[in-house]
Every structure is written in C-alpha cells, then in structure tokens.
Amino acid sequence: MALESAFANFTRRDWEREDVDGTVRLAVIGVGGFARQRALPGIADGEYCETTVLVTGSPDRSRSVAEAFDIPHVIDYDAFLDGDHAGAYDAVYVATPNAFHGTYATAAADREKHVICEKPLDVSERVAREIVDACEDAGVTLMTAYRLQTEPSVRRTRELVRDGAIGDVVQIHGGFSNPLLENADPDTWRVDPDVAGGGALVDLGVYPLNTTRFVLDSEPVGVYATTHSSGPPFDGVDEHVAFQLEFPSGATASCTASFDAHANSQLQLIGTDGTISIASPFGGVVPHEMVVESGDMCMEYTGPPVDEVLEEFDYFGYCVLTGTDPEPDGVDGLADLRAIEAAYESAETGRQVELE
Amino acid sequence: MALESAFANFTRRDWEREDVDGTVRLAVIGVGGFARQRALPGIADGEYCETTVLVTGSPDRSRSVAEAFDIPHVIDYDAFLDGDHAGAYDAVYVATPNAFHGTYATAAADREKHVICEKPLDVSERVAREIVDACEDAGVTLMTAYRLQTEPSVRRTRELVRDGAIGDVVQIHGGFSNPLLENADPDTWRVDPDVAGGGALVDLGVYPLNTTRFVLDSEPVGVYATTHSSGPPFDGVDEHVAFQLEFPSGATASCTASFDAHANSQLQLIGTDGTISIASPFGGVVPHEMVVESGDMCMEYTGPPVDEVLEEFDYFGYCVLTGTDPEPDGVDGLADLRAIEAAYESAETGRQVELE
C-alpha cells in the first residue's frame, strides 16, 4: 500500500468480506456505566446485533434502560444462571465486574451461547483459561471486547506497519490516563483488587498493551513495570503504572496508565523509516487524528469520530453470523492477562519478567 | 503564573537579571560537525562570548573555519596543553570526543580558565568528578553544555510545573531518535565505546534524561533500561535504548533514544490537573510548538525558532561575567552520568538499579 492511499476510505471495514443476513440476539450481562452509555447505544445503532435480554442485579432499576432501548426481557443474575429466557438470545456480552466474568461467560458457553467478554477475560489467568476451554468445548465464538481492534486508525496503523511504511518498528510510546473518580464513587469495584484484579494497568494500561501487540502482530518476551498509589481509595490497586514491553525484534513499548492523572491518551510508533502518531487513540468517541511520516513524506489525517464500540459489536455479530474466528479471541485475552500478571510480578520484584 | 500569561514573552531570558559589559573569550577545543555548524555560529551571533582560539587535531584543515568566523588563533591539542596563546582566552568550550573531555577541561581549569564542557562530562563518573574538583579548586565556572536548559519552551515548561499548572506530574514520555549514519561515517567515534562511553543513551537519551530532571527539579531514585543493537557499526554500543526513571514523588519518566530510527523528538508531561507537550524539543532549530492543558483550558503556542545554542553560550558568558553559578553545573553533569551508568548496569542485569 502506497502511503498516499493509506488514508483512502479511512473508516472502511476491511473485515467485512461477505453479505450477511439476520442479527445476533444478545443478552447484556451487567448494566454499568459503560454498558448504558456505550455498549447498548452501539449495539442499537449497529447492523448485526440486537439486545434482547438485560441481566442485572436490580431489574427494577434497569426497566427504564430496557424501555429506552426497546429490550423485551430484564432478569437478574440468578435467573440468567437458571436459564430464564435462554431461547431469547444467541450470545452474551459479559460486562460485569471483572471477577464475575468467568461465572457468566462459562455458564453461557455451557448453554451453547456465543460470548463477547469485556477485558480482562477474568481476574486470573486460570479462570480466563476456563472460559476459553468452555467456549472451545461448546464450539461457540469467544471474543475479548478489545474495541480498539475495530477502530479505524488502529487498523490503518497496523496495515501501514505491515506494509513497511515506517520500516522496522523500533520504539513505541503509549499512554492512557482517565481520572476514575470524576465519573465513579470512591467505592467503585474498580479499586477493589479482588473484584477488579488490579488497578490502572488492568483497566487502562491494557489498551496500549493490547494495541501494541495488535499493530506489531507480535508477542512481548519481557515486561518491566512500576506501580504507585498515593493512598485511599487506591491503596489496594495501582493508581499509576509505567511499564516497558520488549519484543523479539528488539522493539520496545514504553507505556503508562493512570486512574488519577489528567485525561490523556496517545500512541506513537517510531520506526527505522518513519513514525505514526495517533491522537487520543483510547479515549472514546473523538475525531480521528493521525500523522504518518514515511521517509521525507508526511501526511496528516483528521476525520469524523467513529464509534468503535458500534464497530466492535458489528464485528462480533459478523463473526458469529459468518462463522469467522474473531481476531481478539480468547487466546488474545489470555496473552494480555499473562503480561499483566508478569507486570505486577515485576513491580513487586524490581526485575524484568520474561514471558514465554 | 496564570496559564494565560504563560506564553507571554515566550523567549524571554529570565536568567538575565543585570547589565553586563564585555565578552568572555573562548578557546573552542575540538572542531567537529556540531562545533562548526552550531556552536561557532551561535557564539558569533550571541552577545557574551567570542571565539578567539580554535584547538584542533588538524590546524591546517581548520584555517578556513577560523577565517569564516574571524578567529585569530588556531593551534593543535599539544600546543593547547603546553599553554600556547593562553592569554588569548578566558574560558574553554570542550567539544572533543567524550573520552578526552577530562584531559582538556582539567588542563583548562588548572590554568584558571572557565569551562563549558559538552555532555557527558566524560565517559566515566570518576574522571568527570576530577573535572568538577579541578574547577572547584581553581575557583572557575564549570557548566555542562545542556543546551535544552536555555531553550525557551523547556524553561516555560519548568515554570508551569513549578507553578502547579498541571498539578503533580505523574508520568513523562520523552524520546529522541536521530539517524547517526545519515550525517556521519560508520567509523565515527560515537560508536566506539571507549571514546564515546556508550551509544544512543549517552548521545541522545541524555536529553530526555536531563530535561526531565530539570523540569521536575528532582533527582531519580531508580532506573531500568534495555538496550538493543542490530549489529555493525553499532555492535559496541547501544543502537537503541528504552529506559524508565522513577522519582521520589512516584512520578515516572518513560524515555527512548535511537541512533538508527527515523528522526523524532518529543516530550510530554502528564499531571494530575493537566498536560504539557512540546513538539521536537531536542531536535535543533525548529519552530517552537507547545500545547498546555490545564483543567478545562487548553492553550497552544507556536513561535519562531530560537537558537538554543546561542542562548546556551550567552548564558555561560553571562554566568562568567556576573559570577553567577550556572544551573547546569558539574554536579548536574555528574548526576546524569550516574544515571547513565546505572541504566547500563540495569540493561546488563535486567533489574531496576537504585540511585542515591
């Protein structure tokens, strides 16, 4: 691909290769802020999924949400596990606090429902592997909900890297900070280590981590990390994290994440022949801004926002309807969990931890 | 300082507090590319220094340079050490390959000449300390030539940090890559570990390192680094380096440098209440571009280039003429050398190395 054509049809769905009929009927499990504000609208506005069941701890309080999105069934968690309305959905979107992903994803797989599960797959690699195994045994699709993998600027970046537009990637800088307490109470489950599985690294750092692995199409062989917390409510988890990944080529990724710094998100790749910078890659529905330097050439692109959550659910729906294996599958989710666990081990020991 | 006034008089010399007369007469020791292309023009265009002696390995070949800059004396290294034309200069600018800094800086100090010495002060902390001691014993000014410390956007950044415009700094990303072989032969002394003291970290990584220390006004307590070389001519030194600094506040700096990646330079500070980004901070005479987010406010500044090398020599001249201690003094240079040696130890051992 010549650089001049890199930005042509910027928002194209390169993954959409055949016509499909119908939709995947979803049970959305867990109705928190992200589900209400991003997932349910994205599903409703997309082509290939529809929400038919809401699963929530407080069905009464979720009725208005169900009405707003025209969702016929609202049940609680126990009812879901008992199989209520199991005929009304083909797949589940697991958006509970992290520690409960395993319970609901595995229950869904056992009932031969496809699964799209929020990242991280669970709080431990062991339970995450049980999800992967359950989906494999049931022959259902498992996708880890990495919305960035359907985000156009990230996909265009991967294509440019693959086509050698910036030569060999040498160094990456990635960061994502999002002040948690501006949008959540201090008692949010995200600061409970048992329920969240970690802090800023698990919730935010996973974006530069997963996106780096995606655009390089390579697995890190080592990780070093430091974590820092200034006190309550972050005394149980990492409020801030800085980590450095090392890849087999010798490339490194210098990444940061924070629950308590000014909102910011960035990704920059520096290669032997050029650079790619994406402004605000991880931060939600914002205009696309991307700068590519390739040799003596520099091109800048600014385009309208694309709702990558809509893209993500349409990608999942497309994969289920066509029998396509999603790229962000269970193995992808497991790889991030391994890197996260290694990063926490590194932060404890002050040593680089090798990854297989 | 209110954010609105942060950019007023952007290029002001806040360090210039009194009127001074006269100039400092300089012997420029070592006439390599940087001396010819940046230092000699900067000295000639500035107010407080003038070059009166060139010290070079090949006086015959440097005559045209001397003529171009109207420099009366050209001598070789031995003649300098013998004291030739010692009455014609008040200070020396040491711009030899790194391993020879100690020899010439110490000889100058012993002759009661002031010293501005290129970074690193020497290839070893031990010799660098001898320079510091010699200058202290002689009662002469010693400045380490950190041109960034007189660069307006870096000075404005330090003021904004000090004034709390972005709250507490949490994370920094800094990088500097400059393809060495585009401007140098493969046998350049910069890839000889005995003469250079290291590779990309020593030559380029020191910019984000020193600038981070400067804008935070804080010393790192730990460093982790990985280095990588792809082969000749970089088999003796680090072609690429990624390092992570940790500060007492818990702040981290994620830094990279490369001799062989696309030319790039960046600095970004992420604080609890805002961010500061400088485009191309380390890369030479380019337009200033700086973006400051502070709470809900965002201000962008783009101004004409400032020659920070001119600024640097005027600052040195001003310090000598007024008896002011320069900020980038010998102790500042020693601190970077300690961090660099610790970073190389970390790259060898895979461990974080603590700094005193």
XYZ file of all heavy atoms in Angstrom, chain A residues 20-71:
378
model
N -24.232 -10.581 4.881
C -24.827 -11.434 5.911
C -26.262 -11.018 6.165
O -26.619 -9.849 6.002
C -24.042 -11.361 7.246
C -22.701 -12.055 7.118
C -23.864 -9.935 7.708
N -27.033 -12.002 6.548
C -28.430 -11.742 6.891
C -28.619 -11.938 8.385
O -27.894 -12.702 9.014
C -29.353 -12.720 6.149
C -29.408 -12.412 4.668
O -29.346 -11.214 4.321
O -29.483 -13.360 3.873
N -29.621 -11.296 8.902
C -30.013 -11.533 10.289
C -29.160 -10.783 11.283
O -28.253 -10.014 10.920
N -29.473 -10.993 12.547
C -28.725 -10.374 13.626
C -28.480 -11.415 14.707
O -29.164 -12.438 14.769
C -29.492 -9.197 14.273
O -30.768 -9.681 14.707
C -29.671 -8.033 13.321
N -27.525 -11.121 15.533
C -27.248 -11.939 16.711
C -27.986 -11.310 17.884
O -27.809 -10.116 18.167
C -25.731 -11.991 16.980
C -25.453 -12.710 18.288
C -25.003 -12.659 15.824
N -28.805 -12.108 18.557
C -29.575 -11.590 19.690
C -28.729 -11.723 20.957
O -28.255 -12.802 21.294
C -30.887 -12.378 19.823
C -31.806 -12.257 18.591
C -32.955 -13.256 18.674
N -32.445 -14.605 18.864
C -33.130 -15.592 19.451
N -34.354 -15.375 19.914
N -32.586 -16.783 19.591
N -28.559 -10.607 21.647
C -27.623 -10.537 22.766
C -28.318 -10.425 24.111
O -29.262 -9.636 24.269
C -26.731 -9.302 22.644
C -25.514 -9.325 21.718
C -24.859 -7.955 21.732
C -24.519 -10.389 22.169
N -27.793 -11.176 25.080
C -28.081 -10.885 26.485
C -26.917 -10.058 27.007
O -25.769 -10.508 26.953
C -28.217 -12.177 27.283
N -27.214 -8.851 27.454
C -26.180 -7.984 28.009
C -26.157 -8.201 29.520
O -27.150 -7.930 30.215
C -26.449 -6.512 27.663
C -25.513 -5.585 28.440
C -26.286 -6.293 26.155
N -25.017 -8.710 30.008
C -24.915 -9.120 31.416
C -24.106 -8.092 32.189
O -22.888 -7.967 31.995
C -24.252 -10.507 31.535
C -24.997 -11.520 30.645
C -24.232 -10.970 32.983
C -24.338 -12.886 30.598
N -24.782 -7.333 33.042
C -24.112 -6.249 33.772
C -24.442 -4.930 33.098
O -24.105 -4.721 31.937
N -25.138 -4.057 33.837
C -25.606 -2.814 33.223
C -24.968 -1.629 33.951
O -25.628 -0.824 34.596
C -27.158 -2.740 33.239
C -27.642 -1.570 32.388
C -27.763 -4.041 32.702
N -23.656 -1.528 33.866
C -22.933 -0.400 34.447
C -22.857 0.765 33.480
O -23.533 0.786 32.442
N -22.033 1.734 33.834
C -21.934 2.956 33.040
C -21.535 2.704 31.594
O -22.143 3.256 30.666
N -20.541 1.854 31.396
C -20.090 1.621 30.022
C -21.172 0.934 29.202
O -21.403 1.285 28.039
C -18.793 0.789 30.009
C -18.183 0.673 28.646
C -17.351 1.677 28.173
C -18.454 -0.411 27.825
C -16.784 1.590 26.895
C -17.905 -0.502 26.545
C -17.062 0.505 26.093
N -21.860 -0.024 29.818
C -22.925 -0.733 29.094
C -24.033 0.246 28.700
O -24.503 0.237 27.559
C -23.485 -1.868 29.953
N -24.436 1.087 29.658
C -25.541 2.021 29.363
C -25.143 3.082 28.336
O -25.889 3.396 27.424
C -25.978 2.728 30.653
C -26.792 1.881 31.600
C -27.482 2.755 32.654
N -26.566 3.645 33.342
C -25.848 3.304 34.418
N -25.929 2.080 34.914
N -25.036 4.177 34.978
N -23.946 3.631 28.546
C -23.577 4.802 27.737
C -22.923 4.459 26.397
O -22.986 5.237 25.456
C -22.629 5.699 28.548
C -23.309 6.357 29.740
C -22.349 6.645 30.872
O -21.158 6.873 30.646
N -22.838 6.621 32.100
N -22.274 3.321 26.322
C -21.568 2.997 25.086
C -22.086 1.719 24.421
O -22.360 1.717 23.223
C -20.055 2.845 25.359
C -19.354 4.097 25.900
C -19.289 5.236 24.877
N -18.754 4.843 23.588
C -17.446 4.785 23.274
N -16.534 5.096 24.168
N -17.055 4.433 22.049
N -22.195 0.642 25.202
C -22.498 -0.644 24.563
C -23.934 -0.691 24.029
O -24.146 -0.995 22.849
C -22.238 -1.788 25.543
N -24.917 -0.393 24.889
C -26.309 -0.503 24.424
C -26.591 0.416 23.233
O -27.194 -0.024 22.254
C -27.285 -0.253 25.587
C -27.298 -1.365 26.646
C -28.138 -0.958 27.852
C -27.824 -2.675 26.052
N -26.135 1.692 23.258
C -26.333 2.522 22.055
C -25.589 1.970 20.839
O -26.111 2.000 19.719
C -25.756 3.885 22.470
C -25.785 3.891 23.967
C -25.587 2.460 24.381
N -24.368 1.472 21.059
C -23.589 0.948 19.935
C -24.261 -0.264 19.302
O -24.331 -0.397 18.075
N -24.777 -1.154 20.153
C -25.491 -2.335 19.650
C -26.742 -1.899 18.886
O -27.028 -2.388 17.789
C -25.864 -3.266 20.825
C -24.602 -3.835 21.485
C -26.785 -4.393 20.347
C -24.831 -4.438 22.869
N -27.473 -0.942 19.474
C -28.728 -0.489 18.855
C -28.477 0.174 17.501
O -29.252 -0.004 16.554
C -29.450 0.478 19.794
N -27.393 0.926 17.405
C -27.116 1.648 16.164
C -26.432 0.776 15.108
O -26.365 1.158 13.942
C -26.210 2.865 16.450
C -26.939 3.917 17.293
O -28.187 3.855 17.350
O -26.268 4.784 17.877
N -25.896 -0.370 15.528
C -25.181 -1.224 14.581
C -26.114 -2.121 13.790
O -27.339 -2.107 13.979
N -25.513 -2.936 12.926
C -26.285 -3.757 11.999
C -26.517 -5.192 12.453
O -27.548 -5.782 12.163
C -25.547 -3.855 10.651
C -25.478 -2.586 9.863
C -24.631 -2.796 8.609
O -25.081 -3.510 7.694
O -23.501 -2.249 8.565
N -25.519 -5.771 13.117
C -25.502 -7.226 13.237
C -25.839 -7.767 14.624
O -25.776 -8.970 14.840
C -24.141 -7.769 12.801
C -23.766 -7.417 11.387
C -22.490 -6.971 11.079
C -24.699 -7.545 10.354
C -22.133 -6.653 9.779
C -24.361 -7.214 9.055
C -23.074 -6.773 8.770
O -22.733 -6.456 7.486
N -26.129 -6.900 15.569
C -26.531 -7.364 16.894
C -27.783 -6.620 17.332
O -28.064 -5.508 16.880
C -25.420 -7.124 17.935
S -23.966 -8.170 17.761
N -28.525 -7.243 18.230
C -29.612 -6.544 18.910
C -29.675 -7.075 20.332
O -29.368 -8.241 20.579
C -30.953 -6.754 18.199
C -31.369 -8.203 18.134
C -32.757 -8.400 17.526
O -33.668 -7.601 17.831
O -32.914 -9.368 16.770
N -30.021 -6.217 21.268
C -30.119 -6.639 22.662
C -31.540 -7.100 22.937
O -32.493 -6.341 22.734
C -29.747 -5.481 23.608
O -28.477 -4.968 23.236
C -29.702 -5.962 25.048
N -31.649 -8.332 23.393
C -32.984 -8.871 23.676
C -33.195 -9.149 25.159
O -34.325 -9.294 25.608
C -33.204 -10.186 22.893
O -32.087 -11.046 23.131
C -33.319 -9.913 21.403
N -32.084 -9.225 25.913
C -32.191 -9.506 27.349
C -31.201 -8.632 28.106
O -30.048 -8.499 27.687
C -31.878 -10.996 27.650
C -32.016 -11.276 29.149
C -32.782 -11.930 26.855
N -31.671 -8.032 29.191
C -30.758 -7.362 30.123
C -30.642 -8.225 31.366
O -31.662 -8.636 31.930
C -31.300 -5.991 30.539
C -31.077 -4.781 29.660
C -31.501 -3.517 30.418
C -29.646 -4.663 29.181
N -29.421 -8.459 31.799
C -29.192 -9.219 33.032
C -28.541 -8.273 34.028
O -27.472 -7.709 33.755
C -28.276 -10.437 32.772
C -28.119 -11.246 34.060
C -28.810 -11.291 31.643
N -29.179 -8.088 35.177
C -28.738 -7.026 36.091
C -29.047 -7.417 37.531
O -29.948 -8.231 37.776
C -29.443 -5.704 35.725
O -29.307 -4.785 36.813
C -30.923 -5.907 35.472
N -28.315 -6.843 38.444
C -28.557 -7.126 39.858
C -29.845 -6.512 40.358
O -30.413 -6.956 41.356
N -30.318 -5.482 39.694
C -31.525 -4.778 40.144
C -32.439 -4.529 38.950
O -32.467 -3.437 38.395
C -31.139 -3.452 40.804
O -30.205 -2.769 39.978
N -33.211 -5.566 38.571
C -34.088 -5.446 37.398
C -35.024 -4.237 37.461
O -35.253 -3.582 36.439
C -34.872 -6.765 37.412
C -33.934 -7.736 38.061
C -33.240 -6.927 39.133
N -35.488 -3.929 38.665
C -36.431 -2.811 38.744
C -35.798 -1.509 38.286
O -36.401 -0.724 37.559
C -36.941 -2.650 40.188
C -37.951 -3.746 40.527
O -38.456 -4.379 39.569
O -38.206 -3.958 41.722
N -34.536 -1.312 38.739
C -33.875 -0.055 38.380
C -33.452 -0.007 36.902
O -33.150 1.051 36.387
C -32.645 0.153 39.275
C -33.037 0.704 40.654
C -31.832 1.242 41.376
N -30.941 0.169 41.776
C -29.628 0.295 41.961
N -29.054 1.462 41.774
N -28.899 -0.733 42.349
N -33.428 -1.184 36.263
C -32.990 -1.209 34.871
C -34.133 -1.169 33.865
O -33.901 -1.173 32.660
C -32.138 -2.464 34.612
O -30.946 -2.400 35.376
N -35.388 -1.121 34.393
C -36.527 -1.136 33.454
C -36.509 0.066 32.515
O -36.815 -0.057 31.339
C -37.857 -1.149 34.208
C -38.015 -2.308 35.132
C -39.153 -3.264 34.765
N -39.161 -4.309 35.779
C -38.729 -5.552 35.572
N -38.370 -5.945 34.369
N -38.707 -6.427 36.545
N -36.112 1.232 33.052
C -36.114 2.422 32.188
C -35.068 2.285 31.079
O -35.290 2.726 29.948
C -35.848 3.678 33.020
O -34.593 3.574 33.651
N -33.946 1.638 31.413
C -32.935 1.393 30.385
C -33.506 0.456 29.319
O -33.366 0.692 28.112
C -31.666 0.779 31.009
C -30.625 0.470 29.939
C -31.082 1.704 32.072
N -34.158 -0.594 29.778
C -34.746 -1.553 28.843
C -35.768 -0.879 27.929
O -35.804 -1.116 26.722
C -35.397 -2.705 29.613
N -36.568 -0.008 28.536
C -37.567 0.691 27.719
C -36.902 1.606 26.702
O -37.300 1.667 25.538
C -38.493 1.519 28.621
C -39.605 0.679 29.223
C -40.368 1.426 30.310
O -40.435 2.672 30.247
O -40.867 0.750 31.233
N -35.865 2.320 27.151
C -35.194 3.268 26.251
C -34.631 2.556 25.027
O -34.618 3.118 23.928
C -34.084 3.997 26.996
N -34.163 1.306 25.229
C -33.556 0.579 24.109
C -34.463 -0.525 23.563
O -34.021 -1.360 22.780
C -32.196 0.002 24.537
C -31.147 1.054 24.760
C -30.871 1.539 26.026
C -30.457 1.582 23.679
C -29.912 2.517 26.224
C -29.497 2.551 23.859
C -29.223 3.026 25.137
N -35.712 -0.520 24.033
C -36.696 -1.463 23.491
C -36.250 -2.912 23.669
O -36.281 -3.716 22.727
C -36.903 -1.135 21.996
C -38.283 -1.585 21.526
O -39.142 -1.841 22.394
O -38.476 -1.675 20.303
N -35.812 -3.216 24.878
C -35.316 -4.562 25.194
C -36.418 -5.328 25.916
O -36.877 -4.891 26.979
C -34.051 -4.469 26.085
C -32.957 -3.700 25.338
C -33.575 -5.861 26.496
C -31.814 -3.233 26.224
